[in-house]
Amino acid sequence: LALRTLYNIIFLPYITYASTVWDTAPEQDLQKLQRMQNRAGKLLLGAPHRTPSAEVLTRLGWKDIKTIHRRQKALLTYKSLNNLLPDYMRQMFTYCRDRSVRTTRQSDSNLLYLLMVRREVYRRLIKYAGSLVWNTLPPNTRAAASLTAFKNML
C-alpha cells in the first residue's frame, strides 16, 4: 500500500500532468519512462524481473505511457473545443467545417482540420497530435455533453 501511494504521489503526476511535454520527447526517452513504470509495477506486485510488463500493467489496472498520453491529448482537445481552457488554447484547433465554404462530407462532422506537416517535430505539436487523436475518436465520444461523460467514454 505504501509503495502504491508513493507511485501515485511521485511518478503518476509526471506521466499525466506533464504528458504534453513528455509526448514531444524522443522515442528513446518515452521508452525509458515506460521501463520506469514497468519496474514500479513489478516492485509493487513483488513480481520477478522476467514477468511480462503487459501482464503487470493489466494486473494493476494501469495503462501504458502511450495510452496515457493519448488520453491526455484527447482531454486537452475536448477542453479546448468546449471553452474550458484560456483563450490562447481555444484557438489551437479548427473544425474542418470552418475551413471550407463548400458543403462536404466533413462539413457535418465534428472532425478537426489537420495541418499538412512534413517534419516529425511538427507532428508532435499538440495542435497536430491533438487533432489527430480527436479525429480517431468515435463520433459519440467527440459529441459528449460534459467533460465527465467524455472521460468515461475514453
Side-chain angles (χ1 to χ4, degrees):
L1 186 62
L3 289 175
R4 185 175 284 240
T5 304
L6 193 61
Y7 171 84
N8 288 336
I9 291 172
I10 294 174
F11 191 71
L12 195 58
Y14 282 105
I15 296 172
T16 53
Y17 300 134
S19 68
T20 53
V21 175
W22 278 114
D23 203 41
T24 61
E27 186 65 29
Q28 67 231 25
D29 291 343
L30 293 175
Q31 288 172 355
K32 287 178 188 176
L33 197 59
Q34 184 62 58
R35 281 194 299 270
M36 284 175 43
Q37 184 190 32
N38 295 344
R39 281 189 210 125
K42 289 174 186 179
L43 184 64
L44 275 172
L45 293 176
H49 179 69
R50 297 206 181 266
T51 306
S53 299
E55 179 185 322
V56 170
L57 295 177
T58 302
R59 284 177 52 195
L60 289 168
W62 293 355
K63 305 283 187 227
D64 64 274
I65 300 296
K66 287 188 178 194
T67 303
I68 292 170
H69 288 182
R70 185 178 187 281
R71 184 177 194 275
Q72 292 300 110
K73 280 186 266 190
L75 285 169
L76 183 75
T77 306
Y78 179 88
K79 289 176 183 178
S80 176
L81 295 171
N82 289 280
N83 300 323
L84 300 173
L85 294 175
D87 286 335
Y88 72 93
M89 293 191 81
R90 283 188 232 152
Q91 299 166 1
M92 210 175 339
F93 303 103
T94 306
Y95 285 108
C96 289
R97 65 177 174 251
D98 297 337
R99 298 270 309 164
S100 178
V101 290
R102 295 188 319 252
T103 302
T104 63
R105 282 177 281 183
Q106 291 183 341
S107 301
D108 297 332
S109 70
N110 58 354
L111 295 175
L112 295 177
Y113 175 73
L114 273 174
L115 296 169
M116 300 301 280
V117 295
R118 294 184 183 170
R119 296 184 179 216
E120 183 62 30
V121 69
Y122 295 119
R123 292 178 199 273
R124 294 181 179 185
L125 294 175
I126 191 64
K127 185 173 187 168
Y128 179 84
S131 297
L132 191 62
V133 168
W134 181 262
N135 290 348
T136 62
L137 295 174
N140 63 325
T141 303
R142 291 192 308 256
S146 70
L147 182 59
T148 305
F150 184 75
K151 285 180 180 180
N152 291 335
M153 290 184 207
L154 284 180

